[in-house]
Amino acid sequence: MKQFPNRVVLDETHTPKSWYNMFADMPFEEGEDAFMLHPGTMQPAKPEDLYPVFAEELCRQEFTRERHIEIPKEVRDYYLSYRPSPMYRAYALEKLLDTPAHIYFKYEGQNTSGSHKLNSAIAQAYYNKKQGVKRLTTETGAGQWGTALSMACAHFGLELEVFMVKISAQQKPYRKAIIETFGADITLSPSNTTNAGRGVLENDPDNPGSLGTAISEAVERAVTSENTRYTLGSVLNQVVIHQSVIGLEAKEQLGMYDVYPDIIIGCAGGGSNFAGLMSAFMGDRLTGKAKPYFIAVEPAACPSMTRGRYAYDFCDTARVTPLAKMYTLGCGFMPSTIHAGGLRYHGMSPTLSKLYHDGFIDEARGAFQSEIFKAATIFTRAEGILPAPESAHAISAAIDEANKCKETGVAKNILFGLSGHGNFDLGAYMQYMEGNTHDYAPTDNELEKGFASLIKTNS
Amino acid sequence: MKQFPNRVVLDETHTPKSWYNMFADMPFEEGEDAFMLHPGTMQPAKPEDLYPVFAEELCRQEFTRERHIEIPKEVRDYYLSYRPSPMYRAYALEKLLDTPAHIYFKYEGQNTSGSHKLNSAIAQAYYNKKQGVKRLTTETGAGQWGTALSMACAHFGLELEVFMVKISAQQKPYRKAIIETFGADITLSPSNTTNAGRGVLENDPDNPGSLGTAISEAVERAVTSENTRYTLGSVLNQVVIHQSVIGLEAKEQLGMYDVYPDIIIGCAGGGSNFAGLMSAFMGDRLTGKAKPYFIAVEPAACPSMTRGRYAYDFCDTARVTPLAKMYTLGCGFMPSTIHAGGLRYHGMSPTLSKLYHDGFIDEARGAFQSEIFKAATIFTRAEGILPAPESAHAISAAIDEANKCKETGVAKNILFGLSGHGNFDLGAYMQYMEGNTHDYAPTDNELEKGFASLIKTNS
């Protein structure tokens, strides 16, 4: 076996030319393919039902069982400005932990948006541009998706309106600034420019906003404006497909050194990052070629996989979107804003949810803030990379697994996804250093209130 | 000629194994080698004179005429975690400008500290560690150097005290946070922990601090504490040597595609970034192999090359350091804080100064803030990378040169240095978008006041 360098960066000729769609290899039971229900009829949704909302090719990708989807030249050209992303061996962290484990991480933070979100943003912008769409809408909370999409729209010459949660814009003025530097328009949500926003403001003029309301406003704007479509940065299978580029590269990078991961760890909010990292390895598992152990890490504050239910639920709180079959806390669940960073979504990608439900994802864990910032600080000092709080969930679990290896003496290969950098999250790091980080998990009563918002369906 | 990709990332086997020292090829006249004068005797300083301040090997590097200095394995190993840094062809910017020019840029922002400063920080930390030094001191204003050195010290297990200009710490709390996350101690300057700081506070208890005072405090702490040394992130020839890794890589990356730059552009504050980028190309020019055109871009607000004098001057305002022969505005010159970002230093690297004085650097230009933020915004939208305000000085000149190529129809190869990202400078971008960016250049009277601080020497 060749010595693994600190960092492996593939030559561009090795970047994937196609995305991989896990749907192609996932076992579906008869009639189990209805991932989405039309919110009006409660009947299985078809690609055409989504045409007013998303670009047509993206609607097609939402349902297709095609195994490989060619990455368009325009998208791949842009990928090559920041991809292939580097694969690191965390030698310094291993030494610090005194573990026999080999720890690898795939780093998606080396682009201005700071995270993996750009992988799908550039694809979604491209397909909309190709269809002749002039203007996109979206929402953003933590800001990674809004930044990524503003980059993509600047590149393809598309207009963009970002509905930014009002309280987030106040807490993260720099995120707002970078999105505006890329030329996008920001509307603070709730706004008085949509029915959804006005409805909220009538009841509560000082409402600080929520991701749910922002989604409702962005969707409403898209379907009521000419030549305008909506985009979403996670949850959907189209996004999972685009993010497969992470895992395809990761498998090739490790393969060059005859390394195959025993354990694969990712943080999971909407699920797109972990789904992307696992893709090629999960393909091996679905087809019986290998059996790595998959661990999803979510915030204890928003525990959709660890404490949620597998059910059809709305993707937003205002109940205007299709229903998706997923692990969910109920669209009425209000995630605590105590928890820093993203990963505050009531549901989980239907693709990831099914893989978990069917036992292909082995384990889901909840992590507290104090744990993840402790892990982030250890990692930063050892490896010299400041992780996003989201990514720190994965680091925390990777350290736990490496410590187990120390106890057992077994030298496992641990791969985790470092989905983004924390350069825009230093306010949260400051709170941690000042001792103002609070751990939180919803009570059973709070969860029950969320579950009460789940509607009855036939499934 | 092979088609140049968007981005070229060298294989690690191509990373330089030695730094290149321009001193080896620069023509010196008899007796002209006295770059530094001892502040007590005003006689030429020797390496040993600097031992109380810097690690011994660094003192040696300050004076040596050796052409190639081997990069120690420990330093190169760390380099490989973020180097070789990528070389980009700015296709989107070329298209936007409709220029026949080919625009290339070398990007040093892909590490957590966000700039090229890490290249020297890791080397300086290593040589101190090797010598048995336990604790380093330094100062930081804009924060790039402090962040880089805190990363390097965390890696090698060295203690670090950063004297941070008080007003900078208030304006950039996130820079303070990231330095502390890496485990360094921050002392706000002026402080009451040094004679230099107390002296300032006695006269002016509300003094907001300056880089000059912070340097004096950091040097004082180093020379009065056990097993402690001081480090400086620019100006010195040791730093210029370490930064040569940028230019060595750049030449190899362009050479793979048979490209040689006609014009090479860098921003210049203390000069380490531009000196690093130019190194290998300047070596060609000094030895008659090629004659690229070199342009240094500095703020009009702090015009050491464009309006300064070539003289021996102190490196700090408190006059405790050796004197260096350089282009300077006088150590008593107070750069306006109106100008965003770094590049606010009264002097210029003696190495760069001599190259400019001897005609090897062809041109120096001053740039106003409105120009550089306009260029930065154009670049960000086209290329998807948010530049540091410092780096935007180089972008502004590159755009000007590309526009000249459009007028003349000549397809020149333009290379500029993108020394860092602007993720920590979004406050300045916000000011620009809000129309609160002010252009400023010192009056002749203000310059004369600075020059009056120059002392008379024999040179």
Side-chain angles (χ1 to χ4, degrees):
Chain A
M1 193 191 293
K2 286 173 286 183
Q3 163 82 12
F4 199 93
N6 294 26
R7 183 181 76 140
V8 177
V9 182
L10 290 177
D11 187 86
E12 71 166 74
T13 55
H14 289 263
T15 321
K17 296 193 172 56
S18 301
W19 293 301
Y20 164 62
N21 178 17
M22 290 188 283
F23 274 10
D25 294 313
M26 285 164 66
F28 289 94
E29 287 174 32
E30 182 75 21
E32 202 202 350
D33 53 350
F35 286 110
M36 281 199 189
L37 301 183
H38 190 288
T41 64
M42 292 293 164
Q43 294 301 309
K46 296 184 188 66
E48 308 85 83
D49 295 333
L50 304 178
Y51 283 181
V53 182
F54 300 112
E56 293 182 13
E57 169 61 18
L58 294 168
C59 298
R60 191 188 73 79
Q61 291 181 11
E62 198 55 41
F63 293 87
T64 184
R65 300 282 174 89
E66 246 183 314
R67 183 168 283 103
H68 302 292
I69 296 169
E70 192 184 338
I71 303 174
K73 182 184 180 303
E74 291 83 350
V75 174
R76 193 165 183 273
D77 278 351
Y78 195 95
Y79 276 2
L80 291 175
S81 72
Y82 69 100
R83 308 203 67 84
S85 71
M87 169 70 75
Y88 285 85
R89 168 96 183 260
Y91 285 108
L93 182 63
E94 289 171 18
K95 194 174 165 192
L96 186 76
L97 298 176
D98 190 23
T99 174
H102 293 192
I103 306 174
Y104 302 89
F105 62 94
K106 176 80 168 161
Y107 183 37
E108 291 292 313
Q110 290 199 336
N111 67 73
T112 290
S113 80
S115 82
H116 69 289
K117 297 273 185 183
L118 190 56
N119 301 330
S120 186
I122 199 72
Q124 293 189 44
Y126 168 75
Y127 288 120
N128 274 284
K129 178 77 181 180
K130 198 179 165 203
Q131 187 179 312
V133 171
K134 294 274 184 240
R135 189 172 173 89
L136 298 183
T137 72
T138 199
E139 73 290 324
T140 204
Q144 288 185 341
W145 171 247
T147 310
L149 193 63
S150 70
M151 285 178 69
C153 286
H155 180 73
F156 285 120
L158 282 162
E159 297 173 13
L160 171 64
E161 181 174 6
V162 179
F163 288 85
M164 188 166 193
V165 177
K166 196 183 282 175
I167 183 77
S168 299
Q170 287 162 7
Q171 289 169 343
K172 295 193 166 193
Y174 287 1
R175 273 290 184 189
K176 180 169 175 286
I178 194 168
I179 292 170
E180 289 176 329
T181 299
F182 277 111
D185 300 321
I186 287 198
T187 303
L188 299 187
S189 172
S191 79
N192 60 14
T193 68
T194 66
N195 287 329
R198 280 188 293 268
V200 172
L201 290 174
E202 270 166 30
N203 289 326
D204 177 8
D206 298 322
N207 187 291
S210 71
L211 211 51
T213 304
I215 293 177
S216 307
E217 290 203 87
V219 172
E220 179 183 329
R221 176 77 89 246
V223 299
T224 58
S225 306
E226 206 177 339
N227 237 336
T228 304
R229 291 293 183 281
Y230 168 73
T231 58
L232 184 64
S234 190
V235 181
L236 300 170
N237 198 51
Q238 57 183 265
V239 180
V240 169
I241 288 171
H242 305 153
Q243 296 297 353
S244 69
V245 69
I246 305 172
L248 292 164
E249 286 180 8
K251 192 179 162 192
E252 174 144 4
Q253 285 165 316
L254 293 176
M256 286 165 62
Y257 296 89
D258 299 325
V259 173
Y260 199 94
D262 301 301
I263 302 173
I264 299 173
I265 302 169
C267 64
S272 73
N273 152 63
F274 189 35
L277 176 69
M278 73 170 55
S279 60
F281 304 103
M282 183 57 82
D284 287 348
R285 175 143 176 188
L286 290 167
T287 55
K289 289 181 194 139
K291 205 183 173 190
Y293 189 86
F294 294 95
I295 304 174
V297 192
E298 61 185 9
C302 193
S304 56
M305 293 178 94
T306 48
R307 297 173 70 194
R309 294 194 183 156
Y310 192 46
Y312 280 100
D313 192 15
F314 291 98
C315 298
D316 67 333
T317 50
R319 301 174 177 232
V320 301
T321 66
L323 291 87
K325 190 165 185 188
M326 58 184 178
Y327 278 90
T328 178
L329 300 165
C331 63
F333 178 79
M334 271 297 167
S336 165
T337 56
I338 287 176
H339 198 87
L343 310 183
R344 283 199 304 263
Y345 184 66
H346 69 275
M348 179 57 62
S349 150
T351 315
L352 224 64
S353 291
K354 178 169 163 57
L355 287 167
Y356 183 49
H357 186 254
D358 292 351
F360 293 108
I361 292 173
D362 301 275
E363 193 183 336
R365 294 182 191 171
F368 286 107
Q369 284 208 98
S370 57
E371 295 171 318
I372 66 120
F373 279 105
K374 185 182 170 196
T377 303
I378 291 169
F379 179 81
T380 301
R381 292 182 188 180
E383 294 295 329
I385 298 176
L386 184 83
E390 294 85 345
S391 319
H393 288 72
I395 297 172
S396 176
I399 290 176
D400 289 345
E401 293 302 309
N403 284 334
K404 281 186 201 164
C405 288
K406 187 180 178 182
E407 285 168 27
T408 61
V410 180
K412 291 192 178 175
N413 289 320
I414 300 170
L415 168 66
F416 72 87
L418 191 68
S419 55
H421 66 58
N423 292 359
F424 301 120
D425 302 285
L426 281 161
Y429 277 87
M430 281 169 70
Q431 286 183 355
Y432 172 69
M433 285 188 288
E434 289 159 3
N436 290 325
T437 297
H438 302 288
D439 289 341
Y440 168 80
T443 63
D444 289 341
N445 268 349
E446 284 168 323
L447 288 186
E448 284 305 325
K449 272 188 209 167
F451 295 143
S453 68
L454 289 171
I455 62 157
K456 299 272 178 276
T457 65
N458 295 330
S459 306
Chain B
M1 190 191 296
K2 286 173 284 183
Q3 162 82 10
F4 199 92
N6 294 24
R7 182 181 77 141
V8 177
V9 183
L10 290 177
D11 188 84
E12 72 167 70
T13 56
H14 288 264
T15 322
K17 297 195 170 54
S18 302
W19 293 300
Y20 164 63
N21 179 16
M22 290 188 283
F23 273 12
D25 293 313
M26 285 163 65
F28 290 95
E29 286 174 33
E30 183 74 22
E32 203 202 350
D33 54 350
F35 287 109
M36 280 198 189
L37 301 183
H38 191 288
T41 63
M42 291 292 164
Q43 293 300 307
K46 295 184 189 65
E48 308 86 85
D49 296 334
L50 304 178
Y51 283 179
V53 182
F54 301 112
E56 294 181 12
E57 169 60 18
L58 294 168
C59 298
R60 192 188 71 79
Q61 290 183 9
E62 198 56 39
F63 294 87
T64 185
R65 300 281 174 91
E66 246 181 315
R67 183 168 283 105
H68 302 291
I69 297 170
E70 192 184 337
I71 303 174
K73 182 184 181 301
E74 291 83 349
V75 174
R76 193 165 182 275
D77 278 351
Y78 195 95
Y79 276 2
L80 292 176
S81 73
Y82 69 99
R83 308 202 66 83
S85 71
M87 170 70 75
Y88 285 86
R89 168 98 183 260
Y91 285 108
L93 182 63
E94 290 172 17
K95 194 175 164 191
L96 186 75
L97 300 175
D98 189 23
T99 176
H102 293 194
I103 306 175
Y104 302 89
F105 62 95
K106 176 81 168 160
Y107 184 38
E108 292 290 314
Q110 289 198 336
N111 67 74
T112 290
S113 80
S115 81
H116 68 292
K117 297 274 184 183
L118 190 57
N119 301 330
S120 186
I122 199 73
Q124 293 189 45
Y126 167 75
Y127 289 119
N128 275 285
K129 177 76 179 180
K130 197 180 167 202
Q131 188 179 311
V133 172
K134 294 275 184 238
R135 189 171 172 89
L136 298 183
T137 71
T138 199
E139 73 291 325
T140 204
Q144 289 185 338
W145 171 247
T147 311
L149 192 65
S150 70
M151 284 178 68
C153 286
H155 180 74
F156 285 119
L158 282 162
E159 297 173 12
L160 172 64
E161 181 175 6
V162 179
F163 288 86
M164 188 166 192
V165 176
K166 197 183 282 175
I167 182 77
S168 298
Q170 287 163 6
Q171 289 170 342
K172 296 192 167 195
Y174 286 2
R175 273 288 182 192
K176 180 169 176 286
I178 192 167
I179 291 169
E180 289 177 331
T181 299
F182 278 110
D185 299 322
I186 287 198
T187 303
L188 298 187
S189 172
S191 79
N192 58 15
T193 68
T194 67
N195 287 329
R198 281 188 292 269
V200 172
L201 289 173
E202 271 166 30
N203 289 326
D204 177 9
D206 297 323
N207 187 291
S210 71
L211 210 50
T213 304
I215 293 178
S216 306
E217 291 203 87
V219 172
E220 180 183 330
R221 175 78 88 246
V223 298
T224 58
S225 306
E226 206 176 337
N227 236 337
T228 304
R229 291 294 183 280
Y230 168 74
T231 57
L232 185 63
S234 190
V235 181
L236 300 170
N237 198 53
Q238 56 182 265
V239 182
V240 169
I241 289 171
H242 304 152
Q243 296 297 354
S244 70
V245 68
I246 305 172
L248 292 164
E249 287 178 8
K251 192 179 161 189
E252 174 146 3
Q253 286 166 314
L254 293 176
M256 286 165 62
Y257 297 89
D258 299 324
V259 173
Y260 199 93
D262 301 301
I263 302 173
I264 298 173
I265 302 169
C267 64
S272 73
N273 152 63
F274 189 36
L277 175 69
M278 73 169 56
S279 60
F281 303 103
M282 184 58 82
D284 287 347
R285 176 144 175 187
L286 290 166
T287 55
K289 288 182 196 140
K291 206 185 172 189
Y293 189 86
F294 294 96
I295 305 173
V297 191
E298 62 185 9
C302 194
S304 57
M305 294 179 94
T306 47
R307 298 173 69 194
R309 293 189 185 160
Y310 192 46
Y312 280 100
D313 192 15
F314 292 97
C315 298
D316 68 331
T317 51
R319 301 173 176 234
V320 301
T321 66
L323 290 87
K325 190 166 184 188
M326 57 185 179
Y327 279 91
T328 178
L329 299 165
C331 64
F333 178 78
M334 272 297 168
S336 165
T337 55
I338 286 175
H339 199 86
L343 310 183
R344 283 197 306 262
Y345 184 66
H346 68 275
M348 178 59 61
S349 151
T351 315
L352 223 64
S353 292
K354 179 170 163 57
L355 287 167
Y356 183 48
H357 187 254
D358 291 352
F360 294 108
I361 293 174
D362 301 275
E363 193 184 336
R365 294 181 190 171
F368 286 106
Q369 285 208 99
S370 57
E371 293 172 320
I372 66 121
F373 279 106
K374 185 182 170 195
T377 304
I378 290 170
F379 179 81
T380 302
R381 294 183 187 179
E383 294 295 328
I385 298 176
L386 185 83
E390 294 85 346
S391 319
H393 288 72
I395 297 172
S396 175
I399 289 176
D400 289 344
E401 292 303 308
N403 284 333
K404 282 185 202 165
C405 288
K406 187 180 177 182
E407 284 166 28
T408 60
V410 180
K412 291 191 177 173
N413 289 320
I414 300 170
L415 168 65
F416 72 88
L418 192 68
S419 55
H421 66 58
N423 292 359
F424 301 121
D425 301 286
L426 281 163
Y429 276 89
M430 282 170 69
Q431 286 183 356
Y432 173 69
M433 285 189 287
E434 290 159 2
N436 290 325
T437 297
H438 302 289
D439 289 341
Y440 168 80
T443 63
D444 288 342
N445 269 347
E446 284 167 324
L447 288 185
E448 283 306 324
K449 274 188 207 166
F451 295 143
S453 69
L454 289 170
I455 62 155
K456 301 270 177 277
T457 65
N458 296 328
S459 306

